[in-house]
Amino acid sequence: MKKMVRWALGGYIVYCIGIIGYFFLFAHPSIPSQWKGTAADPATFLTPNEQLLSEQYSRWKNVLFFLSIPYDWLIYLFILWLGIGKTLQRSAERTTKWFVLQVAFYMFWLSLLVTIWTLPIDWISYHISRAYGVSTQPISSWLHDQMINFLIQTAVFFLIALVIYSFIRRFDKRWWLYAWLVSVPLTVFFMFIQPVVIDPLYNDFYPLKDKALEGKILALAEKAHIPADHVFEVNMSEKTNALNAYVTGIGSHARIVLWDTTLERLQEREILFIMAHEMGHYVMKHIYWGVAGTILLLFVGLFITNRVVKWLIRTWGNSFHLQKIHEFASFPLFLLVFSLLSFVASPTVNFVSRQEEHAADQYAIQRTHDPEAAISAFQKLTKAGLSEVNPPTLVKIFRYTHPTIFERIVFLEQIKQKE
């Protein structure tokens, strides 16, 4: 075990050095020469200091992203290798004989451990955002959000574990199929409750104060057949200088939401383009396709997870302090395998998402016929969030669910040239 721990830590350190070296020595942002001096060139809408800050901020955030993923894997491995998972299971079994309470006990302490061990990465990310002026969130508010994250994570761990181990104990070979069948209504249920239950835990939502603007947005929504009677404003200025807007939820729980930072810094034409973009997702049923995609990925993921977890227990059970898959102590192994599968699938998921975002841009331009407003909106989004205009390919593949700002502005510039 000690040898495995040393190899894991040594491998992670070498990986960290490689990632830091890549981003600080080799990944230099640039755009193709033919687009120099155009609206897609950051030099035309960012000051030299803003360009420098954007490069530095993006570099640090990218480094943290690529370091945090294997860091999470190490946490799960250490919980298994050090026998912590087994200790928690025995404590749960000594505390109560009730299966549901045992699951709740185990998942609370596991979630607490994971939260504590990931807190340094989260803190560094928060500190960097504060240092570069992107985040405006006080430490007390940040800690409040961390507490909410912990409670939600605990509830999710409990629900997943309750479903998984209930079926494993009854159907050793087909548990993954029954768990997937249960996950389908749960996925849809969470899509319903997120706008009205989960999101308000983090921020205050209230009807848009600018009624004239609300009327214009609702007119766009009516043409798009979006069942919305109000546009909501959220007080994100208490936490960030970045800009955003979105349409969330499904059916009668659909919500059109604008960040107050967006309302403060964008002109009406720019806001209408952004809202038309978000409505494009609704019109093209991207939310429903997303739910269907999630359900499909869960089917494949649970099938593979069942095979891999059982193989790992047969092969490395002694090292993981595990004998059978139905033990609570195997849950960190489930998390590890599912996290690995999610990372492997992320390039494909992100690619599909970028195609949907591009389609929404096309829809918005067809409705607003205002590429100038769209271009200026993207430029202001870049400035406010210190976004990277044209990130390295590695970052785009694993991090970007949207086309890059460079790609979006080039698309709009090409439309202008055709007019």
Side-chain angles (χ1 to χ4, degrees):
M1 184 191 72
K2 291 180 180 179
K3 184 180 292 186
M4 285 190 290
V5 170
R6 285 198 298 268
W7 273 103
L9 286 175
Y12 182 66
I13 291 171
V14 171
Y15 169 80
C16 290
I17 293 172
I19 287 294
I20 293 171
Y22 169 75
F23 281 108
F24 280 87
L25 299 177
F26 302 105
H28 299 295
S30 62
I31 63 171
S33 57
Q34 66 266 31
W35 292 101
K36 295 284 187 180
T38 68
D41 184 353
T44 63
F45 59 89
L46 296 178
T47 66
N49 185 57
E50 287 172 336
Q51 290 185 70
L52 178 62
L53 291 176
S54 173
E55 292 174 12
Q56 292 175 345
Y57 177 70
S58 298
R59 187 179 293 126
W60 279 115
K61 297 294 281 189
N62 290 334
V63 165
L64 273 180
F65 171 81
F66 283 101
L67 296 189
S68 66
I69 294 173
Y71 180 81
D72 290 344
W73 299 340
L74 281 180
I75 290 175
Y76 301 139
L77 283 172
F78 285 166
I79 289 173
L80 293 165
W81 283 337
L82 300 178
I84 296 173
K86 193 71 170 183
T87 301
L88 290 178
Q89 177 184 311
R90 289 170 179 163
S91 297
E93 292 169 346
R94 287 195 301 267
T95 302
T96 177
K97 294 182 178 180
W98 291 68
F99 171 69
V100 174
L101 294 180
Q102 288 177 353
V103 174
F105 179 94
Y106 184 94
M107 295 309 150
F108 172 82
W109 288 106
L110 177 65
S111 179
L112 183 61
L113 283 175
V114 171
T115 298
I116 291 172
W117 287 345
T118 56
L119 200 60
I121 295 288
D122 295 334
W123 166 255
I124 293 171
S125 178
Y126 163 74
H127 180 71
I128 290 173
S129 295
R130 285 279 296 184
Y132 281 89
V134 175
S135 173
T136 60
Q137 188 174 21
I139 182 64
S140 58
S141 173
W142 181 79
L143 289 172
H144 173 264
D145 285 355
Q146 293 299 306
M147 177 59 70
I148 294 174
N149 289 342
F150 163 70
L151 294 175
I152 291 176
Q153 175 180 266
T154 303
V156 171
F157 277 8
F158 169 74
L159 189 58
I160 293 173
L162 187 62
V163 171
I164 287 177
Y165 291 108
S166 294
F167 285 122
I168 285 177
R169 293 182 172 208
R170 296 180 183 179
F171 314 102
D172 180 64
K173 294 182 179 180
R174 293 286 183 268
W175 70 264
W176 64 271
L177 180 59
Y178 297 111
W180 174 76
L181 290 173
V182 171
S183 75
V184 174
L186 286 177
T187 300
V188 176
F189 173 70
F190 277 112
M191 287 296 297
F192 269 105
I193 69 168
Q194 180 181 336
V196 295
V197 177
I198 298 177
D199 290 349
L201 295 175
Y202 294 91
N203 296 97
D204 296 327
F205 291 77
Y206 39 85
L208 183 61
K209 298 171 185 175
D210 188 339
K211 296 304 177 183
L213 177 61
E214 182 182 46
K216 294 178 180 179
I217 293 172
L218 290 177
L220 281 174
E222 185 177 0
K223 293 178 181 178
H225 304 292
I226 297 176
D229 297 322
H230 299 285
V231 177
F232 288 87
E233 184 177 340
V234 56
N235 62 332
M236 288 301 298
S237 58
E238 296 180 356
K239 296 182 178 181
T240 183
N241 283 315
L243 315 177
N244 200 6
Y246 56 91
V247 176
T248 187
I250 54 179
S252 60
H253 284 191
R255 273 191 172 188
I256 302 171
V257 180
L258 275 164
W259 288 11
D260 59 348
T261 51
T262 303
L263 291 165
E264 292 168 5
R265 300 186 189 183
L266 295 191
Q267 297 176 357
E268 183 177 284
R269 292 164 52 214
E270 297 163 344
I271 292 174
L272 289 176
F273 167 79
I274 289 176
M275 296 313 301
H277 166 95
E278 299 302 334
M279 292 173 192
H281 288 303
Y282 188 94
V283 170
M284 290 178 278
K285 304 189 184 305
H286 290 162
I287 295 174
Y288 296 96
W289 283 111
V291 171
T294 299
I295 291 170
L296 176 61
L297 287 174
L298 283 173
F299 179 85
V300 176
L302 285 169
F303 172 77
I304 297 175
T305 298
N306 174 54
R307 296 292 186 90
V308 173
V309 168
K310 287 182 176 178
W311 176 80
L312 287 172
I313 292 176
R314 286 197 305 269
T315 308
W316 302 97
N318 290 334
S319 299
F320 293 149
H321 301 274
L322 297 173
Q323 282 75 47
K324 296 181 180 179
I325 191 174
H326 71 264
E327 297 178 271
F328 295 155
S330 67
F331 193 69
L333 189 58
F334 276 98
L335 294 176
L336 171 63
V337 173
F338 219 78
S339 178
L340 284 163
L341 293 176
S342 297
F343 181 73
V344 171
S346 63
T348 301
V349 173
N350 291 344
F351 174 80
V352 172
S353 177
R354 288 195 297 271
Q355 302 310 303
E356 292 180 341
E357 294 295 337
H358 178 64
D361 282 348
Q362 292 176 310
Y363 174 89
I365 282 297
Q366 291 168 0
R367 292 297 175 271
T368 61
H369 305 287
D370 196 350
E372 287 288 354
I375 289 172
S376 61
F378 287 137
Q379 291 174 339
K380 290 178 182 178
L381 285 168
T382 302
K383 184 186 289 279
L386 292 181
S387 304
E388 209 165 10
V389 174
N390 195 30
T393 302
L394 183 67
V395 174
K396 177 182 174 181
I397 290 173
F398 283 99
R399 292 202 67 189
Y400 273 54
T401 57
H402 291 60
T404 66
I405 293 294
F406 172 75
E407 291 169 336
R408 301 177 90 168
I409 294 180
V410 165
F411 163 69
L412 294 166
E413 283 284 283
Q414 291 171 338
I415 288 179
K416 284 174 57 180
Q417 293 172 7
K418 292 177 182 178
E419 291 180 348

